[in-house]
Amino acid sequence: MYEQVSHSLLNDILIGLDPKVGCEDLKHFYIRLGANFYAIHSLFHQLYGDRHDFRPQLQKLVEVMARQYVNRRPELRRSDLAREKDHNWFLSQELAGYTLYCQEYAQDLKGMHAKLDYLQELGINLVHIMPVLDGPKGRNDGGYAVRDFRKIDEKYGTLDDMDALSADMRSRGMLLVLDVVVNHTSDEHEWAQQAKQGNEQHLDYYYTYPDRKIPDIFEQSMPEVFPETAPGNFTWNEEMGRWVMTVFNHFQWDLNYKNPAVFIEMIDIILFWANHGADVVRLDAVAFLWKKIGSTCQNEREAHLILQLMKDCCQVTAPGTLFIAEAIVAPLEIIKYFGEDAVNAKECEVAYNATFMALLWDAVATKKTLLLNHGLRNLPTKLDRATWLNYARCHDDIGLGFDDNDIRAAGYDPQAHRRFLVDYYTGVYPDSTATGVAFGRNEKTGDARISGSLASLAGLEAALSSHDDAAIDNSVQIIILLHGMIASFGGIPLLYYGDAIGTLNDNTYLTDENKHHDSRWVHRPTLDWRKAERRHEPGTVEHRIFHAIRKILAVRKQIPAFADLNNREIFETSNPHLFVFMRFTAHGIYSRVLVIANFDTAPHILNLTELNTVNLSERYETRDIYSNQCIATQTGTVEIPALSFYWLQL
Ligand code: GLC
């Protein structure tokens, strides 16, 4: 948009641009800056307009964008242009993701090259390598407490190793996802060190207070993220003689985005990693970016303004780079991280679908889809050009953040139902074969979350140790069913390392002094490559799971109706064990796929006349695209075997 105040300001800024930057061919940069500058200026003004240094800070921001554009390699600039043309590229059903820890998966970055073959064999083409940046040993929250945002931790390798890996991935057509931990730094980060020494400039990078007055006011409305291990939201720092805000662990200092210098540093870091080949940047803990007294300090309006500004700036320099919002919040809140009142994502193009994930686990525990159906009804429709990451497990715990009203509508009492789920997955509930571990029990609220590997939560660990073949079959079926769901729901399926070979819980964390207090380590094992080899031996659990998931991903890629174009209709049926939805093509040759999943341990019948837009009952049979078998429909019903799904071609 052309608007005179921002336009004349932009002219002044460009005249003052660093001559080294100014002499580059900046044609594409200028066009994009012109297109976005009105928005950048107004967002920056909303956030920082009342500061005396507003203008020099804005000048600095433009300089950062220009400098990083100059640094952007030709092949990345070409990829930007190609993605601008094919702007729906990331909604394709051909994407399939995988999250891993570099060390636990491949020892180090160099080791990753050889292990990309395994991922390609599985059908993966988007790989999220969790944080590999320099951090203190032990006190680093699995890499999410960063000491230097531009340095690879020695145990993983060097920046050159990362460049070589990203080049290898690019040549194989694989996308690289890297984290930028935007909300906090390690207490050993240089900014924190400076703050500890009383440096005013860096004290202003964090929220620090000389006494408990303000922290106590904040605490009245702020929930605790890690109530067991890091209660409260502030930590006393002896060196500094001040309280510092630490929402997560006491060694993770929250950054103060009220200071524009923090924003500019962070955008510089995001662009740095975009220039080192990150196709997608996962922005960690974005719900927490803005702190306000009297609020929960989550999902604040200004947090969204910051993300919009980050997106607008990134589009100027590296428009092919996507953002993932890591915000594990309620459905009505999560949807806002795509950006409101828009068609294209204004903030992050991709967000974790934690709602769907937790609802799937509810369906597994209850063997019913009552809450799943209710909960999804209240998941607002996302923007056209935005997509979900659909996952069954990740490196974090499973939070039971369902809406109380949905739980009631499904016929359960909210508190009792949450307690049931924790009991179920920790194996306390009498009929349960799950072997998870509670995480973050909050004695004050009675809440808890759940840790555990997918296979152990699905009962495989217990089934294997009791040599119970029927139970083994059930848990293998659950694992496959969950992957069938994340691959067909709409969005990018994101697998967690080890799950495709049925990796069980790993209790070795209990003997590690830096880990034993955090049960999430139970599902962060070193990948057992001998176990992975068994995927080649028919009859083994590894073979069954691996080949089923591989097939799920391969078949998904052939189904245009599985691209994520808001092309889904969920059906309510009278059978409480079934989850039924239709996917259809939004463009091109019309095709429809009916997904039917049965979460019970017994077979169930779907009465097709209940699906008013589907007229299958006149047909004799229809094909399940996944198994490539014909399914009888002539009686107007379909029978779905226990813990199974169909992808019926209509
Ligand atoms: C994100 C990460 C989690 C980490 C937290 C604090 O939620 O996924 O592992 O503990 O941020 O950085």
Side-chain angles (χ1 to χ4, degrees):
M1 173 169 158
Y2 173 76
E3 183 268 342
Q4 295 190 340
V5 175
S6 61
H7 187 76
S8 65
L9 178 60
L10 178 60
N11 275 335
D12 290 351
I13 288 177
L14 293 179
I15 290 164
L17 212 60
D18 179 345
K20 279 206 297 297
V21 168
C23 64
E24 264 278 321
D25 174 13
L26 296 178
K27 185 177 87 192
H28 292 296
F29 174 80
Y30 282 145
I31 294 173
R32 293 177 189 134
L33 183 63
N36 271 14
F37 193 72
Y38 169 70
I40 291 175
H41 173 250
S42 54
L43 287 164
F44 205 72
H45 196 266
Q46 280 189 68
L47 289 161
Y48 308 117
D50 54 358
R51 289 180 57 115
H52 70 278
D53 60 348
F54 171 76
R55 222 178 129 137
Q57 294 286 2
L58 186 60
Q59 166 107 27
K60 213 164 149 205
L61 178 62
V62 175
E63 266 166 25
V64 163
M65 288 188 275
R67 184 167 38 75
Q68 292 290 14
Y69 181 78
V70 170
N71 291 343
R72 195 153 174 80
R73 291 198 306 270
E75 71 271 23
L76 297 177
R77 292 191 195 178
R78 278 197 297 278
S79 142
D80 288 335
L81 293 171
R83 287 178 187 170
E84 275 175 342
K85 277 217 173 80
D86 179 21
H87 51 256
N88 277 347
W89 65 277
F90 62 98
L91 307 179
S92 163
Q93 76 281 5
E94 289 180 17
L95 290 183
Y98 194 94
T99 296
L100 55 86
Y101 284 103
C102 176
Q103 196 170 38
E104 281 71 9
Y105 181 79
Q107 272 202 323
D108 55 20
L109 289 169
K110 281 204 173 85
M112 279 295 302
H113 295 267
K115 299 285 196 267
L116 291 177
D117 298 342
Y118 169 86
L119 296 176
Q120 288 190 296
E121 183 187 335
L122 188 56
I124 298 298
N125 49 21
L126 175 149
V127 186
H128 170 209
I129 302 176
M130 277 186 284
V132 286
L133 299 184
D134 177 54
K137 200 167 174 295
R139 297 159 64 252
N140 63 34
D141 191 22
Y144 286 96
V146 177
R147 185 163 53 193
D148 185 338
F149 285 106
R150 290 185 180 78
K151 183 171 172 241
I152 303 280
D153 196 309
E154 280 159 15
K155 66 175 183 258
Y156 305 115
T158 63
L159 197 53
D160 286 344
D161 294 337
M162 181 57 94
D163 289 339
L165 178 61
S166 87
D168 188 4
M169 288 179 64
R170 196 164 293 275
S171 73
R172 294 172 187 240
M174 300 175 97
L175 301 173
L176 174 63
V177 185
L178 294 177
D179 284 84
V180 175
V181 186
V182 282
N183 179 66
H184 44 260
T185 72
S186 150
D187 60 353
E188 292 186 22
H189 190 284
E190 200 209 316
W191 304 333
Q193 306 281 14
Q194 293 285 342
K196 285 182 205 168
Q197 284 158 31
N199 175 319
E200 286 293 334
Q201 186 199 337
H202 288 100
L203 272 169
D204 198 25
Y205 273 41
Y206 301 97
Y207 294 89
T208 74
Y209 304 96
D211 54 42
R212 284 295 310 183
K213 211 168 97 208
I214 295 181
D216 283 345
I217 305 177
F218 264 117
E219 290 287 14
Q220 285 170 17
S221 54
M222 283 175 92
E224 292 169 313
V225 179
F226 296 143
E228 271 177 321
T229 51
N233 288 286
F234 292 84
T235 301
W236 174 253
N237 184 269
E238 197 57 53
E239 229 177 311
M240 191 163 57
R242 294 173 78 86
W243 291 92
V244 57
M245 187 184 283
T246 53
V247 169
F248 291 89
N249 287 297
H250 60 88
F251 50 80
Q252 288 166 303
W253 288 21
D254 285 68
L255 284 164
N256 171 20
Y257 277 88
K258 295 188 175 132
N259 177 358
V262 169
F263 178 87
I264 295 168
E265 298 264 21
M266 247 338 139
I267 195 72
D268 201 13
I269 291 163
I270 290 172
L271 296 176
F272 175 87
W273 287 109
N275 282 349
H276 280 280
D279 298 281
V280 187
V281 175
R282 176 190 182 275
L283 300 177
D284 185 60
V286 288
F288 297 84
L289 289 180
W290 196 266
K291 317 298 196 293
K292 204 181 273 169
I293 279 184
S295 77
T296 58
C297 299
Q298 291 182 37
N299 306 315
E300 287 299 314
R301 178 175 163 270
E302 289 83 351
H304 290 285
L305 299 183
I306 288 167
L307 289 169
Q308 284 167 29
L309 189 54
M310 283 177 174
K311 181 79 277 184
D312 284 335
C313 294
C314 187
Q315 280 171 344
V316 172
T317 301
T321 309
L322 302 181
F323 285 172
I324 296 177
E326 194 266 333
I328 310 302
V329 296
L332 281 176
E333 294 298 338
I334 180 66
I335 207 85
K336 297 181 191 161
Y337 289 89
F338 294 129
E340 286 182 283
D341 306 324
V343 177
N344 303 340
K346 276 199 306 193
E347 297 184 17
C348 300
E349 292 88 349
V350 191
Y352 282 84
N353 198 347
T355 304
F356 186 48
M357 180 275 298
L359 289 167
L360 285 173
W361 285 107
D362 186 87
V364 170
T366 59
K367 305 183 177 54
K368 292 196 175 125
T369 54
L370 296 168
L371 186 52
L372 176 62
N373 280 314
H374 275 288
L376 288 178
R377 210 187 298 158
N378 293 333
L379 183 68
T381 311
K382 62 160 187 62
L383 302 181
D384 283 352
R385 278 184 47 214
T387 195
W388 295 114
L389 280 180
N390 290 318
Y391 62 112
R393 285 302 286 119
C394 71
H395 69 293
D396 281 329
D397 50 287
I398 301 173
L400 306 175
F402 317 114
D403 192 301
D404 281 0
N405 290 326
D406 290 338
I407 305 185
R408 280 190 211 100
Y412 310 115
D413 168 70
Q415 230 192 335
H417 191 65
R418 287 204 181 85
R419 200 174 324 116
F420 156 74
L421 289 172
V422 175
D423 286 351
Y424 184 89
Y425 283 114
T426 53
V428 173
Y429 187 75
D431 276 347
S432 163
T433 53
T435 49
V437 187
F439 175 76
R441 253 190 220 283
N442 189 333
E443 298 305 337
K444 290 169 230 161
T445 61
D447 288 345
R449 285 122 72 182
I450 298 154
S451 288
S453 80
L454 190 152
S456 291
L457 293 174
L460 187 60
E461 193 176 330
L464 287 172
S465 65
S466 59
H467 305 285
D468 179 340
D469 285 341
I472 293 174
D473 285 351
N474 267 1
S475 36
V476 168
Q477 280 301 119
I478 291 172
I479 295 169
I480 298 170
L481 172 62
L482 291 174
H483 283 90
M485 294 301 96
I486 61 171
S488 55
F489 185 70
I492 304 170
L494 182 69
L495 278 65
Y496 185 56
Y497 80 109
D499 285 349
I501 49 167
T503 299
L504 305 177
N505 281 350
D506 171 19
N507 285 313
T508 54
Y509 78 103
L510 291 169
T511 54
D512 184 327
E513 57 162 341
N514 290 313
K515 297 181 177 167
H516 68 94
H517 57 277
D518 185 339
S519 69
R520 291 176 300 172
W521 288 100
V522 80
H523 54 255
R524 298 173 177 177
T526 298
L527 195 101
D528 181 349
W529 286 99
R530 273 184 321 203
K531 183 174 165 62
E533 276 306 302
R534 288 204 288 274
R535 73 188 183 279
H536 301 303
E537 290 169 37
T540 60
V541 159
E542 293 80 3
H543 182 272
R544 287 168 70 186
I545 300 174
F546 186 89
H547 287 271
I549 294 179
R550 186 165 93 142
K551 187 165 163 191
I552 285 173
L553 298 181
V555 175
R556 164 186 153 87
K557 292 182 191 181
Q558 307 301 319
I559 305 179
F562 282 180
D564 191 18
L565 300 161
N566 279 338
N567 45 346
R568 176 183 53 240
E569 182 183 355
I570 298 181
F571 297 104
E572 301 273 326
T573 75
S574 54
N575 189 319
H577 304 283
L578 301 182
F579 178 42
V580 186
F581 58 93
M582 169 117 80
R583 302 296 315 281
F584 46 89
T585 44
H587 312 289
I589 300 165
Y590 191 60
S591 74
R592 298 185 301 169
V593 177
L594 184 68
V595 178
I596 314 174
N598 175 8
F599 282 81
D600 197 13
T601 43
H604 277 276
I605 304 273
L606 172 66
N607 185 346
L608 293 166
T609 55
E610 290 185 47
L611 321 179
N612 34 25
T613 50
V614 182
N615 194 0
L616 260 183
S617 38
E618 283 159 20
R619 287 218 220 160
Y620 190 65
E621 58 181 26
T622 186
R623 197 168 63 91
D624 170 32
I625 316 174
Y626 171 66
S627 65
N628 202 19
Q629 279 174 6
C630 285
I631 309 297
T633 55
Q634 78 272 33
T635 56
T637 59
V638 177
E639 181 177 313
I640 307 99
L643 299 171
S644 300
F645 67 89
Y646 284 150
W647 288 347
L648 297 185
Q649 174 96 62
L650 298 190

